[in-house]
Amino acid sequence: MHEDVNLGTVAAFRLAELGCCAIAPGLTDAEFARIEGEHGVEFSDDHRAFLAAGLPVNSPFEPEPGTTYAWQRPWPDWRDGDPDELRERLDWPIEGIVQAVETDGHWNPAWGARPDTPETAVRMAQRCVADAPKLVPIYGHRFLPAGRGTVGHPVLSVWGTDIICYGADLIDYVDREFEEPPPERPDDWSPQATVPFWRDYL
């Protein structure tokens, strides 16, 4: 079995084993083609294999008191979801960077000198981030880099400019997100982001 298929499929089986969510039949090739065509994004090979093995389905959601969640349905509904909601989720990482420029004074040194006015800074930031590699949501604000023919990326947790590696790969991510209690990380656990732009924020 190819590494990409094995990695995504094993992660899907592990998710099912943990019993943390319902799992519907996986996405078909026709569904992948429709989704990628509508949203202008390609799933990485392991993410594709994960969703082909079984599509995680959201359960009724009861937020804990005093806790803020970005999504009441953390699993993206790639099959029947509202296209605008899916677009919002795909845009989340970029919008978070731009919002940090607008509200928190963030500026990436790689963009050159910061413009004098906030409005110009936001417009320049929007141009600079437009070509950043796309990230595809897995669950909530956890993302995998997009790209057919790629595999084994660390899973990134993205909240504005607060970006960390949350799993060394898709299998490791499933265990760390859904196993109770989460497995302890070894002392030498230090996955490195594999795509430009986003790795600069780690």
Side-chain angles (χ1 to χ4, degrees):
M1 184 178 291
H2 294 297
E3 180 186 4
D4 56 347
V5 175
N6 186 56
L7 181 60
T9 304
V10 169
F13 289 165
R14 179 59 178 150
L15 183 70
E17 182 180 58
L18 290 170
C20 56
C21 65
I23 299 178
L27 296 177
T28 65
D29 288 344
E31 287 176 314
F32 278 114
R34 173 185 60 80
I35 294 162
E36 293 179 335
E38 287 179 357
H39 296 288
V41 67
E42 291 184 334
F43 292 93
S44 64
D45 291 354
D46 47 350
H47 197 178
R48 185 184 179 96
F50 176 77
L51 295 172
L55 182 66
V57 177
N58 290 295
S59 302
F61 183 84
E62 293 292 338
E64 297 179 10
T67 304
T68 301
Y69 290 86
W71 294 278
Q72 292 192 359
R73 296 181 299 278
W75 291 109
D77 185 354
W78 296 113
R79 175 169 287 131
D80 299 313
D82 179 90
D84 290 337
E85 181 179 341
L86 290 171
R87 171 50 54 193
E88 178 183 344
R89 299 182 69 136
L90 285 162
D91 290 344
W92 167 271
I94 291 297
E95 292 298 322
I97 299 292
V98 174
Q99 184 178 12
V101 171
E102 183 175 13
T103 62
D104 301 330
H106 168 71
W107 193 253
N108 188 324
W111 301 340
R114 182 185 176 99
D116 294 333
T117 66
E119 296 79 10
T120 306
V122 167
R123 287 196 298 271
M124 184 172 174
Q126 289 171 329
R127 290 195 299 270
C128 290
V129 301
D131 295 328
K134 293 183 181 294
L135 300 180
V136 182
I138 301 172
Y139 176 87
H141 55 282
R142 319 295 193 210
F143 292 80
L144 268 177
R148 190 74 59 84
T150 63
V151 63
H153 295 292
V155 172
L156 302 181
S157 177
V158 181
W159 194 279
T161 59
D162 182 9
I163 301 173
I164 62 171
C165 285
Y166 206 84
D169 56 28
L170 198 49
I171 299 171
D172 183 54
Y173 162 71
V174 167
D175 280 339
R176 298 190 184 285
E177 185 78 80
F178 300 107
E179 187 175 346
E180 293 292 345
E184 292 187 9
R185 290 188 168 119
D187 293 338
D188 60 352
W189 193 87
S190 59
Q192 301 297 311
T194 50
V195 290
F197 185 79
W198 302 107
R199 63 188 175 205
D200 296 340
Y201 282 90
L202 296 174

